[in-house]
Amino acid sequence: MGIKSYKPVTPGLRHRTGYTFEELTKPLAPKSLRKAMRKSGGRNNHGRVTADHRGGGHKRAYRMIDFRRDKYGIAATVAAIEYDPNRSARVALLNYADGEKRYILAPDGLTVGRKVLAGPEADILVGNALPLKNVPAGTFVHNIELKPGKGGQMARAAGTQAQLVSKEGDFALLKLPSGETRRVPVECMATIGQVGNLDHENISLGKAGRTRWMGKRPHNRGVSMNPVDHPHGGGEGKTSGGRHPVTPWGQPTRGYKTRNNKRTEKWIVTHRSKKR
């Protein structure tokens, strides 16, 4: 995929870049693979704002993605590579030999007409899904399960990949995109290759309005609020808050380690922070 720039006829276009979409094909998926999405505006079922700075944005339909890859032994043909407004990666439409159609995350190098397969007997080819016990050490994978049968949860964003370092008994050792090294059961499924749309990190939005199209509202600082709204609020004139930085709920931030999950700590071999 290429990146295009725009003639700077307006200030917002001067630094804006976008996709050429040259690898995409015409959408071919049936309506059964799409679901209507209602906007929440960051509000819960009581109508209270629980996620700040959300609202507006372009209308979207959700694509039903097959993160489990549980159609073992049935070959599928890539029918289309499509845009998905709900994620940074592209999605590939698969036509299975039994007539079923499913979306998967499109890995880098997967093209229309290619054959893909899921299951223990699949070859080590881009787009194929296998249990980690059948994947050779050193292979790059994505869409990795944390629990067998639950569906892929790790390495799903555009350009991400994890490397299978080794296998020790019932667990595989994976180096994740964050730098963390983690144990995962060898029965968990993973897809061979790197997630596509590698140019996603190089896109420049160019103007604030483009962020609003994505449903993100402006983020304002705590020191600009009133004391009732944020611990940093209040004061005469400008102030840095008069205390160590915290979240709106008083949790320390900016360097303070907030991870406290003893249940999953045992699976982490090396933290993404090299100091730990």
Side-chain angles (χ1 to χ4, degrees):
M1 171 185 286
I3 294 180
K4 63 181 179 180
S5 57
Y6 299 85
K7 186 176 180 180
V9 294
T10 63
L13 289 175
R14 182 170 299 277
H15 301 291
R16 178 179 169 184
T17 58
Y19 300 111
T20 58
F21 297 110
E22 57 194 14
E23 83 288 2
L24 300 187
T25 58
K26 185 177 180 179
L28 301 174
K31 290 184 178 179
S32 60
L33 291 181
R34 300 194 179 197
K35 186 173 66 174
M37 287 181 61
R38 287 189 60 127
K39 294 186 183 297
S40 66
R43 289 162 174 79
N44 62 7
N45 59 336
H46 296 291
R48 299 191 183 98
V49 175
T50 54
D52 292 332
H53 320 302
R54 296 190 185 185
H58 202 286
K59 188 176 181 180
R60 301 177 181 178
Y62 183 75
R63 277 71 167 169
M64 309 294 288
I65 310 295
D66 178 19
F67 292 115
R68 288 197 173 126
R69 301 296 301 273
D70 53 2
K71 286 183 73 71
Y72 293 170
I74 303 177
T77 305
V78 180
I81 305 293
E82 299 182 17
Y83 172 79
D84 189 347
N86 306 296
R87 64 192 72 252
S88 57
R90 304 290 180 238
V91 293
L93 177 65
L94 302 185
N95 289 346
Y96 283 89
D98 60 0
E100 187 176 359
K101 296 184 178 184
R102 290 188 182 184
Y103 274 129
I104 65 166
L105 298 179
D108 186 41
L110 191 69
T111 56
V112 174
R114 289 275 298 273
K115 300 283 187 180
V116 296
L117 188 68
E121 71 283 357
D123 294 327
I124 309 300
L125 298 173
V126 170
N128 287 356
L130 302 86
L132 288 171
K133 64 181 180 181
N134 294 357
V135 179
T139 306
F140 289 98
V141 293
H142 67 276
N143 189 37
I144 308 155
E145 291 183 328
L146 282 171
K147 295 181 180 179
K150 188 176 182 180
Q153 294 177 267
M154 299 188 295
R156 303 193 328 193
T160 56
Q161 60 181 349
Q163 187 174 23
L164 179 59
V165 178
S166 64
K167 286 174 277 189
E168 303 169 358
D170 295 333
F171 293 93
L173 208 60
L174 287 167
K175 186 169 185 180
L176 303 179
S178 63
E180 177 180 295
T181 306
R182 186 187 185 97
R183 292 190 187 94
V184 177
V186 293
E187 299 296 332
C188 289
M189 295 286 288
T191 306
I192 305 298
Q194 180 181 13
V195 184
N197 193 21
L198 307 185
D199 286 327
H200 173 72
E201 63 178 356
N202 300 322
I203 291 294
S204 173
L205 297 182
K207 64 177 185 178
R210 196 168 171 191
T211 308
R212 299 301 296 267
W213 300 343
M214 300 176 184
K216 300 176 184 177
R217 299 188 67 237
H219 173 86
N220 56 314
R221 300 160 298 131
V223 293
S224 66
M225 302 181 190
N226 292 320
V228 69
D229 299 314
H230 200 283
H232 294 173
E236 297 296 329
K238 289 188 176 181
T239 174
S240 60
R243 59 179 296 177
H244 290 293
V246 294
T247 67
W249 305 276
Q251 177 82 350
T253 182
R254 288 199 177 178
Y256 182 80
K257 302 300 181 185
T258 58
R259 189 181 192 281
N260 184 21
N261 192 342
K262 296 179 181 178
R263 182 178 59 85
T264 61
E265 192 79 20
K266 59 183 178 181
W267 308 122
I268 299 175
V269 178
T270 306
H271 286 268
R272 61 180 179 177
S273 173
K274 303 301 181 182
K275 298 178 182 178
R276 294 184 64 179

